Amino acid sequence: RYYPLAFGVACDRAECEFVAGHLDAANEQLEQLSARAANRVDLARVACLRASLHTSADRLEQAIETALAYLRLVGIDWSSRPTDRDVRAEYDRLLAQIGGREIESLIDLPILVDPEWQAVVDVLLAFLPAARFYDSNLHALATVGMVNLSLQYGNCDGSCLAYATLSQVAGAHCLDD
């Protein structure tokens, strides 16, 4: 009767099934939870677990589609096979956001407190391993996208990995001039 508690316990149970190696049971529970999620934050939690489950089961396409379907709900419409131009456009957006700031100023960004945008970063973080093996441009787009969200809304736990991975992405995809 108390949705937050019931939903949280059900997610924890699905996660336990996943960690215990009962992937089919976990996936079935997560599908049911996805249909019952009352908001985007709860839906993101389910999407993160589903992406992790599919990645661990080597079902990369399903992991990617799970994450991309969630991202579409929040207005981020990416292809599972983005082009070099798509990555460059996101990187150019990053450069515009940085503007004349020194790189050291990133530490002074506020903490990301908006739960919906935190949920978006969490989903990007959850599907990053699958993206790495599925499509290098998708991995690059997700990494640059996480940095852009950090610059726009503030730093969070996922920002650290995004900043650390950005140099690899920029070197491989964006530094053509």
Side-chain angles (χ1 to χ4, degrees), residues 11-12 14-15 18 30 33 44-54 126:
C11 280
D12 290 345
E15 186 173 7
F18 166 42
L30 290 169
L33 285 168
R45 183 172 180 197
V46 173
C48 288
L49 287 169
R50 291 184 79 196
S52 295
L53 182 146
H54 292 312

Side-chain angles (χ1 to χ4, degrees), residues 65-88:
E65 188 46 47
T66 296
L68 292 178
Y70 175 81
L71 293 174
R72 279 186 216 100
L73 290 176
V74 298
I76 300 172
D77 191 13
W78 290 344
S79 165
S80 63
R81 299 281 186 185
T83 65
D84 291 339
R85 177 177 276 168
D86 296 330
V87 175
R88 184 60 202 215

Side-chain angles (χ1 to χ4, degrees), residues 50-64:
R50 291 184 79 196
S52 295
L53 182 146
H54 292 312
T55 300
S56 71
D58 198 28
R59 297 189 298 241
L60 300 182
E61 285 186 33
Q62 288 175 296
I64 298 302

Side-chain angles (χ1 to χ4, degrees), residues 72-132:
R72 279 186 216 100
L73 290 176
V74 298
I76 300 172
D77 191 13
W78 290 344
S79 165
S80 63
R81 299 281 186 185
T83 65
D84 291 339
R85 177 177 276 168
D86 296 330
V87 175
R88 184 60 202 215
E90 189 72 14
Y91 187 74
D92 288 344
R93 200 166 74 85
L94 179 148
L95 293 176
Q97 283 196 87
I98 290 177
R101 289 190 269 182
E102 295 292 326
I103 206 73
E104 293 82 11
S105 70
L106 295 179
I107 199 166
D108 296 324
L109 287 172
I111 301 297
L112 194 157
V113 294
D114 183 315
E116 289 199 6
W117 286 112
Q118 176 65 58
V120 173
V121 173
D122 290 346
V123 169
L124 288 169
L125 193 59
F127 100 110
L128 207 56
R132 182 175 205 81

Side-chain angles (χ1 to χ4, degrees), residues 40 82 130 146 160:
R40 289 181 182 171
M146 283 195 312
C160 298

Side-chain angles (χ1 to χ4, degrees), residues 16-38:
C16 287
E17 293 284 6
F18 166 42
V19 172
H22 306 137
L23 301 184
D24 290 336
N27 191 45
E28 183 178 316
Q29 290 173 12
L30 290 169
E31 283 181 22
Q32 292 171 6
L33 285 168
S34 182
R36 293 193 332 239

